[in-house]
Amino acid sequence: MGMIFDSHAHYDDARFDECRDEILGQMQKNNVCGIINCGTDIDTSLFAISLAKKYDFVYAAVGYHPESVDNGTCFDERQMLKLIKENKVVAIGEIGLDYYWDTTFKENQIEMFERQLQFAAAHSLPVIIHDREAHADTLQLIKKHKPKGVLHCFSGSVEMAKEVVGLGLYIGVGGVVTFKNSKKIVEVIKEIPLERILLETDAPYLAPEPFRGKLNRSDYIEFVAKKIAEIKNVDYEQVLLQTTENTKKLFNI
Ligand code: NI
């Protein structure tokens, strides 16, 4: 039977403080076989590592999110070297570019993104990329550095998805696909093979319908997988089997 692998979550988030262990304790009986908890700075990366130590099925990604750059944070290579030596650290992430709120720190974000792409390459680790309203620059830097990895919560066009897949990367799909107004990602899913899709929550954010607006959790991926099965006209089970295989392959799990 197919099981859910959540390739992108933030259980370190304060919104889980009251219910973190309760929720994570329910995951395995709710058909979740794996979760990658992504850091957004050094502290949350350390938290991700502590969750990976506590739960067999949790893995950690470590890195600096573009928004963490806005307060002047710099890449600390010594610290990052320590983090990637920990068990169950499977990726550098989440890293990338975010021009949604403002572009004041664009240059700093690009510099931090490139530092981390180089760091990931030097240590043969895949990357988890965040791209919000920064498609052109993200694509350009992917072409330049040729990482192994995933574009999480993909929001680009079909053309961009095809290019990304052509470069050997994966497309991360989460709750947005279940939203009524989401046409773009539906078209993307139609056009790219299931072999290139990873499932994700981005919990606590982006809960799928019928839980939109609520606290997201990895077992809700069921609704994302069902929507993908419907779009691609394949079995729900097949969606779970294939996407879990994809995730394990990319992150060497
Ligand atoms: Ni995220």
Side-chain angles (χ1 to χ4, degrees):
M1 203 181 73
M3 294 185 87
I4 291 165
F5 204 122
D6 182 357
S7 66
H8 190 119
H10 302 277
Y11 284 101
D12 50 276
D13 194 282
R15 267 164 282 189
F16 288 113
D17 282 354
E18 304 293 314
C19 55
R20 183 176 299 111
D21 288 320
E22 189 194 336
I23 290 177
L24 288 172
Q26 293 166 351
M27 286 299 122
Q28 285 178 300
K29 74 171 166 52
N30 290 352
N31 206 33
V32 175
C33 66
I35 296 170
I36 297 175
N37 201 85
C38 299
T40 53
D41 55 20
I42 295 297
D43 284 348
T44 50
S45 296
L46 284 166
F47 201 121
I49 291 167
S50 74
L51 286 175
K53 281 184 180 154
K54 188 165 183 185
Y55 295 96
D56 271 1
F57 58 94
V58 175
Y59 299 83
V62 299
Y64 299 86
H65 187 283
E67 279 174 42
S68 79
V69 176
D70 295 359
N71 59 16
T73 302
C74 293
F75 184 82
D76 183 341
E77 182 158 15
R78 240 187 56 196
Q79 188 65 262
M80 286 291 283
L81 279 169
K82 259 199 246 167
L83 295 184
I84 61 168
K85 283 195 188 111
E86 295 277 354
N87 278 335
K88 296 168 80 190
V89 171
V90 296
I92 301 300
E94 66 179 287
I95 65 176
L97 303 172
D98 194 320
Y99 301 163
Y100 181 75
W101 297 109
D102 73 64
T103 51
T104 318
F105 301 98
K106 195 171 160 173
E107 295 312 317
N108 307 50
Q109 286 190 12
I110 290 173
E111 192 191 326
M112 179 65 101
F113 187 26
E114 290 205 87
R115 274 301 294 272
Q116 296 187 95
L117 287 168
Q118 287 161 351
F119 183 80
H123 299 281
S124 305
L125 285 164
V127 293
I128 298 172
I129 298 173
H130 171 104
D131 157 27
R132 196 171 184 200
E133 306 287 329
H135 301 324
D137 286 356
T138 300
L139 196 53
Q140 194 219 327
L141 292 175
I142 288 173
K143 283 180 180 163
K144 182 175 165 189
H145 293 277
K146 301 183 176 62
K148 284 205 316 175
V150 56
L151 255 77
H152 117 81
C153 195
F154 187 78
S155 58
S157 64
V158 170
E159 291 69 36
M160 181 177 176
K162 283 182 175 170
E163 265 199 89
V164 166
V165 165
L167 292 162
L169 283 92
Y170 292 80
I171 301 292
V173 179
V176 173
V177 72
T178 67
F179 299 169
K180 226 175 170 180
N181 52 354
S182 67
K183 294 198 177 73
K184 235 170 152 186
I185 187 67
V186 171
E187 288 310 309
V188 166
I189 290 165
K190 279 183 195 161
E191 296 295 326
I192 60 167
L194 196 54
E195 286 72 17
R196 285 289 158 186
I197 295 175
L198 304 189
L199 303 182
E200 62 168 67
T201 53
D202 207 16
Y205 312 103
L206 298 171
E209 293 288 1
F211 301 109
R212 189 171 181 179
K214 303 244 167 66
L215 194 69
N216 201 359
R217 43 188 281 168
S218 303
D219 45 0
Y220 289 174
I221 280 182
E222 175 189 343
F223 300 93
V224 174
K226 281 182 175 155
K227 183 72 186 184
I228 293 172
E230 185 191 312
I231 294 165
K232 291 193 91 57
N233 197 22
V234 295
D235 244 35
Y236 168 65
E237 285 294 318
Q238 198 196 331
V239 173
L240 293 188
L241 284 169
Q242 186 62 55
T243 53
T244 291
E245 190 185 315
N246 300 344
T247 307
K248 288 182 172 174
K249 190 175 158 196
L250 174 60
F251 297 107
N252 247 315
I253 291 169

